[in-house]
């Protein structure tokens, strides 16, 4: 019987294999196939774990009274009217923006398609701020894709499995992105604090950033699309003697309340508006 | 005895998958701190029950699956589960004669140790924001759940004739 083999050899084999896999996973993309194959087996577990939540929602929807449904219908109709009116203005602004950009010799990519996905899991490890969504490479989700909800950016896809994907949240301690203040265009690096907030890194003490400022994505780094709201500044603290101001922000997206998210599909033309702008400015 | 032929691998896999389900089922944020390491508990039970069949390589495989399930660095829990299975293999004869309190203490130490190993891998890749003693909460609740898990799996083992 093979059971008589010394388990110590197997332990050594498993340890060596583990270390190799860890290094491969961290330094190279070669561990991806393993992850991909195991993804077929882990996705059903996430789907089943989400099932009670799903069926509970379905039940409460079925059990709603006619009057509350009518009320909701009216509210949504009003909302859609308001949104339609805003979209009318947006079309004009967009056209104007494109004309102005043409004058500057830079192209614009304001349009982007989105894919709707449902959140089916949250990372059980408090050290990682990640979500699991119910769309994978089968639905053309890819690593690095930007994820947002109706209010703003949520994060990016870090691991696209076949049937489900993992989304790294903006608030994760290992996440950072380039943002600018909507009011005056001051750029800064926005990082997660590992809990529910964000902080701006390396902002000079004299920078013009105030409480309540809206931070929008810049599109630098070619990962996030430009111009989506990311966070609102909540505190600005200037310390005498410290080289940088201490600025914290909260995400505009309702990360802890969202049940559906949008994945941004890239538009066909890979435009680089900011590069063109810089070249022109000089 | 020829009745020693292994059987019931499917039952073992299903019990591990149910443990995986318990790992990811949504809970309030506060309870996440004390969520027991279900898969590790189930693995430890099967190692103790069937030391000739379930060992280090099973531990490694289940650990890799757990890595993908929770999105950890691939191999982080593979390493931890393999070590946990090895320690249990080395101690299964003693574990069988221990009182339940002693068993719980061993499970606490085992899960605490291998979680610390996994934590140190996670820290080396920069994905930790809480201090390492926080993993002790989950180890403690795992030890509390050891006897109930044991009782359930014992029944499963007898009912489905897992050998």
């Amino acid at each position: 019987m093979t059971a008589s083999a010394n388990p110590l050899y197997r332990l050594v084999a498993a340890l060596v294999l583990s270390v190799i896999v860890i290094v491969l996973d961290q330094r190279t993309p070669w561990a991806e196939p393993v992850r991909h194959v195991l993804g077929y087996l882990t996705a059903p577990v996430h789907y089943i774990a989400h099932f009670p939540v799903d069926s509970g929602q379905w039940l409460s929807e079925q059990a709603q009274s006619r009057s509350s449904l009518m009320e909701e219908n009216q509210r949504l109709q009003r909302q859609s009217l308001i949104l339609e009116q805003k979209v009318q203005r947006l079309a004009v602004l967009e056209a104007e923006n494109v004309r102005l950009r043409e004058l500057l010799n830079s192209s614009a990519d304001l349009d982007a398609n989105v894919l709707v996905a449902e959140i089916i899991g949250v990372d059980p490890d408090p050290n990682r701020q990640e979500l699991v969504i119910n769309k994978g490479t089968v639905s053309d989700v890819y690593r690095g894709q930007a994820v947002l909800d109706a209010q703003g950016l949520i994060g990016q896809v870090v691991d696209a499995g076949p049937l489900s994907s993992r989304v790294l949240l903006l608030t994760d301690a290992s996440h950072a992105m380039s943002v600018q203040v909507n009011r005056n265009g001051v750029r800064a690096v926005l990082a997660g604090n590992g809990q529910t907030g964000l902080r701006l890194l390396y902002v000079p003490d004299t920078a013009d950033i105030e409480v309540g400022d809206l931070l929008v994505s810049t599109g630098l780094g070619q990962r996030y699309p430009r111009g989506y709201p990311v966070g609102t500044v909540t505190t600005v603290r200037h310390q005498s003697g410290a080289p940088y101001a201490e600025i914290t922000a909260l995400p505009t997206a309702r990360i802890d309340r969202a049940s559906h998210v949008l994945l941004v599909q890239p538009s066909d033309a890979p435009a680089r508006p900011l590069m063109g702008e810089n070249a022109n400015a000089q | 005895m020829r009745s020693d032929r292994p059987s019931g691998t499917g039952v073992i896999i299903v019990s591990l998958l149910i443990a995986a389900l318990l790992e990811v089922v949504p809970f309030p944020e506060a309870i996440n701190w004390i969520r027991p390491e279900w898969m590790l508990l189930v693995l430890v039970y099967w190692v103790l029950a069937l030391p000739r069949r379930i060992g280090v390589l099973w531990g490694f495989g289940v650990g890799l699956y757990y890595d993908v399930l929770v999105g950890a660095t691939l191999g982080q829990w593979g390493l931890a589960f393999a070590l946990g299975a090895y320690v249990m293999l080395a101690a299964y004869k003693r574990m069988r004669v221990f009182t339940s309190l002693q068993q719980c203490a061993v499970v606490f130490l085992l899960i605490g140790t291998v979680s610390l190993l996994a934590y140190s891998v996670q820290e080396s890749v920069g994905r930790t924001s809480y201090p390492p003693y926080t993993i002790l909460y989950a180890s403690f609740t795992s030890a509390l759940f050891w006897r109930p898990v044991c009782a359930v799996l014992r029944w499963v083992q007898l009912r489905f004739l897992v050998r």
Side-chain angles (χ1 to χ4, degrees), chain A residues 4-72:
Chain A
S4 56
N6 191 342
L8 189 61
Y9 296 140
R10 294 185 182 185
L11 178 69
V12 172
L15 294 190
V16 170
L17 218 56
S18 301
V19 171
I20 292 174
V21 171
I22 290 170
V23 173
L24 285 184
D25 192 35
Q26 281 306 307
R27 304 277 170 216
T28 71
W30 296 337
E32 281 305 306
V34 182
R35 223 177 244 286
H36 197 81
V37 169
L38 284 174
Y40 280 105
L41 300 173
T42 55
V45 173
H46 281 294
Y47 279 94
I48 294 172
H50 185 63
F51 179 72
V53 182
D54 237 8
S55 48
Q57 268 171 7
W58 183 82
L59 267 180
S60 71
E61 265 168 33
Q62 293 298 309
Q64 264 180 5
S65 70
R66 189 182 136 84
S67 64
S68 74
L69 282 175
M70 280 169 69
E71 219 169 78
E72 191 186 354

Side-chain angles (χ1 to χ4, degrees), chain A residues 3 8 11 15 17-18 21-22 25-26 35 38 41-42 45-46 49 123 125-128 130 166 172 174 195, chain B residues 21 23-24 26 32-33 52 56 60 65 68-75 79 82 86 89 122 125 127 129-130:
Chain A
L8 189 61
L11 178 69
L15 294 190
L17 218 56
S18 301
V21 171
I22 290 170
D25 192 35
Q26 281 306 307
R35 223 177 244 286
L38 284 174
L41 300 173
T42 55
V45 173
H46 281 294
D123 201 306
D125 184 348
N127 282 309
R128 285 190 305 262
E130 287 180 11
R166 303 189 73 84
D172 189 283
S174 67
Q195 281 151 30
Chain B
L21 198 60
E23 295 272 6
V24 297
N32 269 336
W33 288 106
R52 284 167 184 281
V56 174
F60 180 64
Y65 178 80
V68 178
L69 185 75
V70 301
T73 307
L74 203 62
L79 186 73
Y86 176 75
L89 269 188
Q122 198 170 325
V125 302
R127 294 300 304 275
S129 50
Y130 292 99

Side-chain angles (χ1 to χ4, degrees), chain A residues 109-114 146-154 177-180 182 214-219 224-231 252 262-265:
Chain A
D109 57 342
L110 292 168
D111 257 343
N113 295 323
V114 291
V147 181
L148 39 112
D149 77 354
Q151 270 79 29
L153 277 177
I154 280 187
M177 65 178 293
S178 163
V179 294
Q180 67 186 82
N182 198 30
L214 180 69
L215 305 169
V216 298
S217 56
T218 60
Y224 287 111
R226 136 170 234 221
Y228 281 100
V230 181
T252 49
L262 307 168
L263 293 148
V264 182
Q265 308 275 52

